[in-house]
Amino acid sequence: MARAQGARARMALAFETTYGTPPAGGFTKTPFASTSLGAEQPLLNSELLGYGRDPLAPVKDAVTADGDVVVPIDSQAFGFWLKAAFGAPVTTGNSPGPYTHTFQSGSWTLPSMAIETAMPEVPRYAMYSGVVLDQLSWQMQRSGLLTATARLVAQGETVATTSSAGTPAELDLIRFGHFNGAIKRNGTALGNVISTEITYANNLDRIETIRADGMIDGADPSIAALTGRTEVRFADSTLVSQAINGTPCELEFGYSLISGESLTFTIHAVYLPRPRIEIGGPQGIQASFDWQAARDATLGRMCTAVLVNDVEDY
């Protein structure tokens, strides 16, 4: 008997036209490192008395479908996750490319996805419908594998023994690495950075109406949040002075390859807290900034992501 193995698992996604209704086709095979996406339905203990010490049968509670997907930050498939986070991009360029896809924060309408996870050897094909991205986060550092974590909220799960995604299209996997990363502050390279964590959250509001199937009616975005934590080697007072003055700066996090692909994530108004500068010993002194972003009054948005590749559209 075949046993399920993660090495054999597959994932495919497509954007829905109608929330909660997976499309008949148009799925794309998606690279991923791990996923906790799934549906669960807890049981409620019976509170009834009068039938002895042994409890009565439990009752089913509402269905919850959500989870995380860890994906590589690459030049092609990562565009799907950016679209899920910010909405459809504005794309420019001519065939055969390159194409420039510009994503902007602030949209009140986010697209929903259908995601199928497959374990062919069982067989088990789980289709998640009405999937909306709640949070996208990643870390910049000197070495290691560059991945992002997408936190998702789904309407429900349907399990079958055959695939509903058909034969998904495949993209080229061209990964960015930490070695390809750079950070700029107000257009100038920011030095002495040890690591940076970036988290964009849509702060979804689940529409938990009464339904016969126990599923949610939707997940609407509320006030977004863009936060992070930057560890720097304390070498000058530039960031500390900005924190004390309470003025914002622009931070740009970018990755580029010699083949021409690039990803640039620009936060237009970043506010820094005043950090505690500690001397912990004879080693170098570090400072930590738990920053927050806000809407830039001039541009009218909080952040912009620009992805350059040879994908025509998302």
Side-chain angles (χ1 to χ4, degrees):
M1 181 180 66
R3 295 176 174 84
Q5 291 183 321
R8 298 180 181 179
R10 299 195 301 265
M11 178 181 291
L13 65 78
F15 288 97
E16 299 174 337
T17 302
T18 303
Y19 175 80
T21 303
F27 283 80
T28 301
K29 184 177 180 180
T30 307
F32 72 105
S34 64
T35 180
S36 62
L37 182 61
E40 59 183 359
Q41 187 174 23
L43 299 175
L44 300 176
N45 294 330
S46 175
E47 84 285 19
L48 300 179
L49 306 176
Y51 293 87
R53 290 186 60 239
D54 294 335
L56 298 179
V59 178
K60 290 183 178 181
D61 202 0
V63 177
T64 301
D66 54 21
D68 296 345
V69 179
V70 179
V71 298
I73 297 183
D74 71 315
S75 66
Q76 295 193 358
F78 195 62
F80 290 110
W81 302 108
L82 292 175
K83 179 179 178 179
F86 301 110
V90 174
T91 299
T92 58
N94 299 307
S95 181
Y99 298 95
T100 300
H101 311 279
T102 302
F103 304 83
Q104 297 182 1
S105 63
S107 175
W108 283 104
T109 303
L110 297 178
S112 63
M113 299 179 289
I115 298 179
E116 183 181 79
T117 58
M119 303 177 192
E121 69 279 4
V122 175
R124 184 182 191 273
Y125 296 85
M127 178 66 76
Y128 300 94
S129 56
V131 181
V132 185
L133 190 144
D134 185 31
Q135 181 176 295
L136 186 64
S137 61
W138 71 95
Q139 185 178 42
M140 294 187 74
Q141 56 191 22
R142 186 174 182 272
S143 63
L145 294 173
L146 179 58
T147 59
T149 300
R151 181 170 299 172
L152 308 172
V153 173
Q155 184 184 46
E157 173 192 66
T158 302
V159 179
T161 56
T162 58
S163 175
S164 300
T167 303
E170 293 195 27
L171 299 175
D172 296 330
L173 180 58
I174 305 173
R175 296 185 69 169
F176 296 109
H178 288 293
F179 177 76
N180 309 118
I183 303 176
K184 293 182 179 180
R185 176 184 178 274
N186 292 335
T188 303
L190 181 62
N192 301 303
V193 178
I194 297 172
S195 66
T196 292
E197 299 173 7
I198 304 164
T199 301
Y200 178 82
N202 281 311
N203 292 320
L204 297 178
D205 179 22
R206 301 182 193 223
I207 312 302
E208 297 178 328
T209 57
I210 299 174
R211 294 170 50 123
D213 55 13
M215 298 180 183
I216 62 174
D217 256 352
D220 294 340
S222 59
I223 299 299
L226 181 51
T227 58
R229 181 183 181 89
T230 298
E231 296 277 350
V232 299
R233 199 79 160 184
F234 192 60
D236 59 58
S237 298
T238 302
L239 298 181
V240 175
S241 297
Q242 177 191 329
I244 295 174
N245 295 333
T247 56
C249 71
E250 181 182 85
L251 290 181
E252 177 185 297
F253 306 94
Y255 304 93
S256 60
L257 302 175
I258 58 174
S259 52
E261 296 85 357
S262 66
L263 170 63
T264 305
F265 189 74
T266 305
I267 309 174
H268 303 293
V270 176
Y271 292 84
L272 304 176
R274 183 169 179 171
R276 182 193 301 271
I277 307 298
E278 298 182 355
I279 302 174
Q283 293 82 14
I285 298 173
Q286 296 180 193
S288 177
F289 294 88
D290 293 312
W291 48 263
Q292 300 179 25
R295 177 181 179 272
D296 181 84
T298 303
L299 296 175
R301 61 182 180 275
M302 183 164 57
C303 64
T304 304
V306 179
L307 181 62
V308 178
N309 56 27
D310 59 0
V311 177
E312 188 172 356
D313 67 84
Y314 286 98

